Amino acid sequence: MSRYACIPASVALLCASVPALAASHVFLIQNSGWMEPFYTDPASPFKPLVAEIIMAATGPGDPMVLAAFNQSLPGAPSPRALLSLKVDPVPTRREVVKALAALEVAHKPGGTALADTDLNEAVGSAIGTALGGKPGLVWLVTNNRNSPNNDQATALRNRDFYQLIHRGDAISKALAFPLQMPVRGAQYRANGLMVYVFAVGAQGARELDALLLSGRLQRVITEPAARLKPLDRDTLRLVPRKVSDAPGVAFSMAPGGVLHADVDAGTRAPAAKIEWNLENTIYPYTIASATLAARSVLGGENRAIELASTQVSKLAPGKSAPLASTMQLPVTQLPGTWSLKAVTSAGSAYVLPGRIELQLSEQRLELSQDFRQRMATLFPGDPLPDIFTPPAQIKGSSAALPIEVRVHYGVGPLLAAIGAALALLGAAAWAMLAMARPRKAYVTVEDELRTMQARAGTVQPIYDKAGNKVAQLKTTLFGHQLIDLREGAQVRLGR
């Protein structure tokens, strides 16, 4: 076992001392009675698949716990930790494969009866003990059956599991992957397997989104993820299809799903009629019916978007419906051609960020028929798990499309500003030279012509032949003048 291991396999509860870092993982592997064919079929790909999921989901340095679970009984507690370590890909793979190889179907204490299952107990222990209530991801590998002996408490435990996932505050996002895996054991046979992943806390949801974006998990699990939670946001995607009646405005989608609205600087009333594709992104649910409303939030302005239709119905997952709209862009928030923002944005674009918000009210969701058929094929004879029933309190949802309004300004204002700045600099330089250069001034005092040297900004006294001060010579950039002229003095400028 790894030097990071903190508990032996015989300890029942999950390790509470695992560092609760971002992207902490807890892997819960069911080994109760109904799982018998997955363990005993010689051709079963079950354990290799679990190992690959673990390696795809984790990264170097991630703390993880691997545990088996069934139903806790006196003398046979559950979950039971198999490994607790920080991931180092090569040795971790060896330890995971070794731990899974030793895992067998569990029996009830003191007999040969196969163990029952409590999904709620397993996930609750993972959240409360292994993660200590801190962010992380809980993975659950199960055949979706709670009890091989039709325990009468099964329905109650199923309801508890439903409440934990849909109404509990701890789990922020939940996905399910129904997988085909036909296996035959000595007692049972099965066609499929379910892999759940539950994101704990907002940080856990971000880590799950990052994992899905990386594509690592999809290289192992090629089936689309069925969303269990949240069902009240990001249920639709807006994709612009056509723009008309928008002189001076052009729309385009940028990488990352940001809508660009490029506006010419001279456009005074930018508005556009936009035809969208409204796509259902909430697999496996069909939006049976909903009422639509939309608005734009740009530059501090909140404007309603006029929709050609406010109703959506029978929109299957992955399918799209046309939606026409008229949107007004925030004219008053766009800088004028001669504004400082326009001048500094010359040759590029002034960007005004915002978003388009779509609200669905009176929303009614239904499981798609394709998904129901797939579940019936993978789990024949089993009722559809309640966990796939949308909570009754979810009557609406929202979606947002980031938008950037980009105003393109020519270089004319910038060139004009540069020219004006150069003119001012030239004038200032001329003024400085003029101030520093001595200038001749001709002054006649009592019929005597005198030549004086004066710099701009100076004042010099003028004396008569007897040595009396009779005036002062003031020199500016624009010439000379006599000031403080003594009464009766014979002093004048010039010859």
Side-chain angles (χ1 to χ4, degrees):
M1 186 170 290
S2 165
R3 60 188 178 91
Y4 298 110
C6 59
I7 51 176
S10 60
V11 176
L13 294 179
L14 300 177
C15 175
S17 62
V18 176
L21 305 176
S24 297
H25 297 265
V26 181
F27 296 92
L28 298 169
I29 315 302
Q30 183 177 344
N31 70 333
S32 57
W34 282 122
M35 294 292 291
E36 180 262 342
F38 294 95
Y39 288 90
T40 59
D41 187 333
S44 172
F46 172 68
K47 292 181 179 180
L49 174 66
V50 171
E52 292 304 320
I53 290 174
I54 292 173
M55 299 312 301
T58 59
D62 286 350
M64 62 156 279
V65 168
L66 172 62
F69 78 96
N70 39 77
Q71 182 183 13
S72 183
L73 291 174
S78 174
R80 179 172 61 90
L82 307 175
L83 287 175
S84 176
L85 49 78
K86 283 187 177 181
V87 174
D88 184 359
V90 174
T92 296
R93 176 180 287 276
R94 289 197 300 264
E95 294 188 24
V96 167
V97 170
K98 181 180 178 181
L100 292 173
L103 185 60
E104 297 179 346
V105 179
H107 293 78
K108 294 181 179 180
T112 59
L114 297 176
D116 292 337
T117 306
D118 192 333
L119 302 176
N120 184 66
E121 175 186 62
V123 176
S125 294
I127 295 173
T129 305
L131 294 180
K134 295 183 179 180
L137 300 179
V138 176
W139 300 80
L140 184 72
V141 183
T142 172
N143 74 329
N144 255 358
R145 289 188 178 185
N146 250 350
S147 171
N149 293 319
N150 298 316
D151 186 342
Q152 295 304 307
T154 294
L156 179 61
R157 291 202 301 275
N158 281 339
R159 286 195 295 271
D160 290 341
F161 187 50
Y162 178 95
Q163 296 287 341
L164 175 67
I165 304 309
H166 284 294
R167 298 189 179 181
D169 293 332
I171 294 175
S172 56
K173 187 168 186 173
L175 303 177
F177 299 89
L179 305 179
Q180 184 175 5
M181 186 176 292
V183 287
R184 181 188 294 271
Q187 300 189 46
Y188 305 111
R189 57 187 299 178
N191 285 348
L193 189 71
M194 188 72 79
V195 177
Y196 295 97
V197 55
F198 306 113
V200 178
Q203 177 64 23
R206 287 191 290 269
E207 294 295 340
L208 178 55
D209 289 340
L211 173 61
L212 296 175
L213 188 62
S214 73
R216 299 199 314 265
L217 187 64
Q218 291 87 328
R219 289 193 287 269
V220 178
I221 301 178
T222 58
E223 295 296 327
R227 193 197 306 189
L228 303 175
K229 187 179 182 180
L231 300 180
D232 58 356
R233 62 181 182 270
D234 300 327
T235 55
L236 291 170
R237 179 164 52 235
L238 283 172
V239 180
R241 180 166 48 90
K242 181 182 178 182
V243 179
S244 59
D245 295 338
V249 183
F251 285 84
S252 62
M253 287 297 294
V258 178
L259 178 64
H260 283 171
D262 292 284
V263 180
D264 292 339
T267 304
R268 290 297 85 203
K273 291 184 178 179
I274 310 176
E275 295 181 23
W276 309 86
N277 280 332
L278 189 66
E279 183 181 341
N280 179 349
T281 60
I282 191 170
Y283 177 81
Y285 299 97
T286 293
I287 301 176
S289 62
T291 300
L292 296 175
R295 64 177 181 172
S296 64
V297 181
L298 282 162
E301 293 187 11
N302 190 324
R303 292 175 176 265
I305 297 176
E306 182 181 346
L307 301 177
S309 172
T310 59
Q311 300 296 315
V312 60
S313 62
K314 298 180 180 179
L315 187 58
K319 302 299 182 181
S320 60
L323 178 67
S325 69
T326 301
M327 186 173 73
Q328 183 80 30
L329 297 180
V331 180
T332 58
Q333 301 297 321
L334 303 180
T337 303
W338 294 97
S339 67
L340 178 60
K341 290 180 178 178
V343 171
T344 55
S345 300
S348 56
Y350 172 78
V351 178
L352 189 66
R355 64 188 181 277
I356 295 174
E357 297 180 349
L358 192 66
Q359 296 287 337
L360 278 72
S361 59
E362 301 175 5
Q363 173 183 271
R364 188 166 59 87
L365 301 178
E366 296 176 351
L367 268 178
S368 69
Q369 289 302 315
D370 288 347
F371 186 77
R372 287 180 177 274
Q373 292 172 5
R374 176 167 176 75
M375 291 292 289
T377 300
L378 296 182
F379 307 101
D382 290 353
L384 191 69
D386 290 340
I387 197 171
F388 287 104
T389 302
Q393 74 272 19
I394 296 181
K395 302 287 186 184
S397 63
S398 63
L401 174 65
I403 182 174
E404 290 183 350
V405 178
R406 307 190 302 179
V407 188
H408 297 267
Y409 297 95
V411 296
L414 177 61
L415 293 177
I418 292 174
L422 291 176
L424 288 174
L425 288 174
W430 175 83
M432 292 179 63
L433 289 173
M435 293 281 287
R437 185 179 72 248
R439 305 173 66 184
K440 287 183 180 182
Y442 295 100
V443 182
T444 300
V445 181
E446 297 177 341
D447 298 327
E448 178 187 351
L449 181 64
R450 299 178 185 178
T451 302
M452 301 180 67
Q453 297 286 337
R455 289 183 172 86
T458 62
V459 177
Q460 298 185 52
I462 301 174
Y463 300 92
D464 62 12
K465 293 178 181 179
N468 299 311
K469 182 178 178 181
V470 292
Q472 293 193 89
L473 178 67
K474 181 179 180 181
T475 303
T476 68
L477 288 173
F478 307 102
H480 309 281
Q481 71 179 105
L482 294 175
I483 62 173
D484 300 334
L485 189 64
R486 182 178 174 182
E487 186 178 356
Q490 301 179 33
V491 182
R492 68 179 187 275
L493 284 172
R495 299 178 186 276

